[in-house]
Amino acid sequence: MPALQARILDSRLGSSWPLPNYATQGSAGMDLRAMLEQPLLLEPGQTELLPTGLAIHIADPGLAAMILPRSGLGHKHGIVLGNLVGLIDSDYQGQLMVSCWNRGQQAFTIEPGERIAQLVLVPVVQAELSIVDEFNDSERGAGGFGHTGSH
Ligand SMILES: O=c1ccn([C@H]2C[C@H](O)[C@@H](COP(=O)(O)OP(=O)(O)OP(=O)(O)O)O2)c(=O)[nH]1
Ligand SMILES: [Mg+2]
């Protein structure tokens, strides 16, 4: 498992609540917590940017991190991400922020320290554009958006 540099920006993280970690040996993501001073009522349709108390520096341009919703919160309570997916650049050193969007019909209260999203490290390939006039033929060509049918 590679080491990931992290800074704790809220001292409650690691004392009142555990640091983000993998819940099981096979977990893909580590949960991020809402470092709130008090419970936050999210009305239907409301979006708030929440601090996580944590900064990471991935440093390796061959890696990035994604912030993804937690399935239970998203499916049962409509609490997903205002940006749908958060992408954390390898050179970002600021606090990890989570945009929480209540896309549901009911208000939902986020408690201080609640696990609101998950962080997944992913490999990245950076490419240089090589401009051409025509592509070599491919089986698909420009067909898309249902081109292959629905059965
Ligand atoms: O859910 C998120 C998404 C992004 N970020 C941070 C890390 C990321 O590296 C930086 C920039 O994100 P992005 O490139 O997606 O946002 P932008 O709107 O393009 O801003 P910028 O102009 O700073 O790149 O914001 C978060 O903390 N949480
Ligand atoms: Mg950007």
Side-chain angles (χ1 to χ4, degrees):
M1 200 182 281
L4 176 61
Q5 279 196 13
R7 291 180 62 213
I8 296 172
L9 305 178
D10 185 319
S11 60
R12 295 172 299 169
L13 200 58
S15 55
S16 304
W17 299 290
L19 289 173
N21 60 2
Y22 295 101
T24 65
Q25 211 185 1
S27 291
M30 41 181 132
D31 288 341
L32 298 173
R33 295 177 185 271
M35 289 296 110
L36 297 169
E37 298 302 329
Q38 57 206 31
L40 173 72
L41 183 73
L42 263 192
E43 299 287 355
Q46 193 181 341
T47 307
E48 293 291 335
L49 195 58
L50 307 188
T52 62
L54 191 76
I56 59 172
H57 183 204
I58 299 170
D60 178 355
L63 295 174
M66 296 219 235
I67 296 180
L68 300 176
R70 293 185 68 207
S71 55
L73 274 183
H75 180 70
K76 292 186 202 147
H77 303 291
I79 303 300
V80 294
L81 304 177
N83 48 352
L84 304 187
V85 172
L87 181 61
I88 311 302
D89 298 289
S90 67
D91 54 358
Y92 180 68
Q93 299 181 322
Q95 179 163 206
L96 294 176
M97 303 296 291
V98 175
S99 172
C100 270
W101 170 34
N102 183 353
R103 61 150 187 82
Q105 312 290 324
Q106 248 120 62
F108 183 83
T109 300
I110 298 175
E111 300 292 338
E114 185 160 351
R115 291 176 293 147
I116 45 167
Q118 52 189 328
L119 184 78
V120 180
L121 273 176
V122 292
V124 166
V125 177
Q126 289 182 328
E128 197 178 336
L129 292 186
S130 160
I131 305 301
V132 295
D133 291 329
E134 300 285 344
F135 295 125
N136 294 332
D137 284 345
S138 75
E139 187 178 345
R140 174 181 288 274
F145 301 90
H147 175 78
T148 62
S150 57
H151 295 290

